[in-house]
Amino acid sequence: MSAGPPGKPPLPVIGLAGGIGSGKSTVARLLAELGCVVSDSDAEAKACLGRPEVRAALVGRWGDRVLGADGAVDRGAVARIVFVDPGERAWLESVIHPLLRGVRESARRAAAEAGAAGFVIDAPLLFEAGLDGECDAVIFVECPRAERLRRVASSRGWDESELSRREKAQWPLDEKRRRSDYFVQNAGDPDALRAGVREILDQIRLKAAPRG
């Protein structure tokens, strides 16, 4: 729990987990609408790949094959390397994660100063990266695999084999579910999802509130 500035309540840190395509970003958006500040690790990692020192490190290890025609880092080329080789993925994380930690800590301090309802870590690999250790609570977003496949096919052009390949690079969903504290269904009913997210946030904030 992050202590808030004098006169402001503690800031609960909330992590999001779930399968690929489950709608974690949708839940993050709903939490933002309820007054939380969201740390989007995917967007922040993308920004880090644009840093000159990171580009130089990637080219030094993998060569120009990770660059696009514009000379910038090609995220797709990087993904094709790290999703098939755990060792290369671990190396990339050793480069990126310290930078992300600094960005996240600055955002968390600003959220506490602003009196936000919570600070949300929306990270594709929350447990794998050990980010759950920074969280007071983790929300698991439930969604049937068939619906997740439909979503990623529509939004990312993935087929079932690509979804399976990506999932194999992550922890099993049962383990992520077991380590989570709250659960919300995101199977297609926006109103039910919104109500579920609001109820969970209320519970987290009530638990975080000082006793007195």
Side-chain angles (χ1 to χ4, degrees):
M1 192 73 59
S2 298
K8 295 180 180 178
L11 178 75
V13 180
I14 304 165
L16 299 180
I20 298 171
S22 61
K24 295 185 292 295
S25 294
T26 300
V27 172
R29 176 177 55 78
L30 293 172
L31 287 167
E33 291 175 2
L34 293 169
C36 294
V37 170
V38 176
S39 169
D40 183 341
S41 293
D42 199 42
E44 291 161 3
K46 182 178 179 180
C48 283
L49 289 177
R51 295 191 184 192
E53 68 273 25
V54 173
R55 179 187 181 278
L58 269 57
V59 171
R61 187 172 181 90
W62 296 322
D64 290 346
R65 61 179 170 144
V66 295
L67 300 181
D70 59 356
V73 173
D74 182 337
R75 295 182 73 209
V78 172
R80 286 190 289 274
I81 295 171
V82 302
F83 277 105
V84 298
D85 189 328
E88 295 302 323
R89 186 169 69 250
W91 176 83
L92 178 64
E93 290 169 354
S94 75
V95 173
I96 297 294
H97 284 180
L99 299 175
L100 292 178
R101 194 176 302 115
V103 171
R104 197 164 53 247
E105 179 60 22
S106 294
R108 187 197 58 76
R109 287 197 299 266
E113 183 65 35
F119 183 70
V120 179
I121 301 177
D122 180 11
L125 303 175
L126 185 84
F127 289 110
E128 293 87 342
L131 298 182
D132 58 306
E134 299 180 17
C135 300
D136 301 300
V138 175
I139 301 173
F140 187 89
V141 184
E142 299 271 15
C143 184
R145 192 175 195 278
E147 174 61 16
R148 295 193 292 109
L149 176 58
R150 186 195 67 78
R151 291 175 183 174
V152 298
S154 173
S155 63
R156 311 181 198 183
W158 295 359
D159 59 14
E160 187 166 9
S161 63
E162 179 65 13
L163 175 60
S164 296
R165 185 175 75 86
R166 300 273 182 153
E167 287 184 325
K168 287 178 181 176
Q170 300 186 8
W171 282 13
L173 286 184
D174 286 346
E175 180 65 13
K176 292 184 179 185
R177 189 181 292 108
R178 185 184 71 79
R179 290 172 176 252
S180 298
D181 305 290
Y182 299 89
F183 307 88
V184 66
Q185 289 285 342
N186 182 25
D189 185 335
D191 292 335
L193 177 63
R194 183 174 290 104
V197 170
R198 180 184 293 276
E199 181 179 354
I200 289 172
L201 179 60
D202 287 346
Q203 291 177 22
I204 293 172
R205 285 173 55 77
L206 181 63
K207 188 175 180 180
R211 307 295 182 186

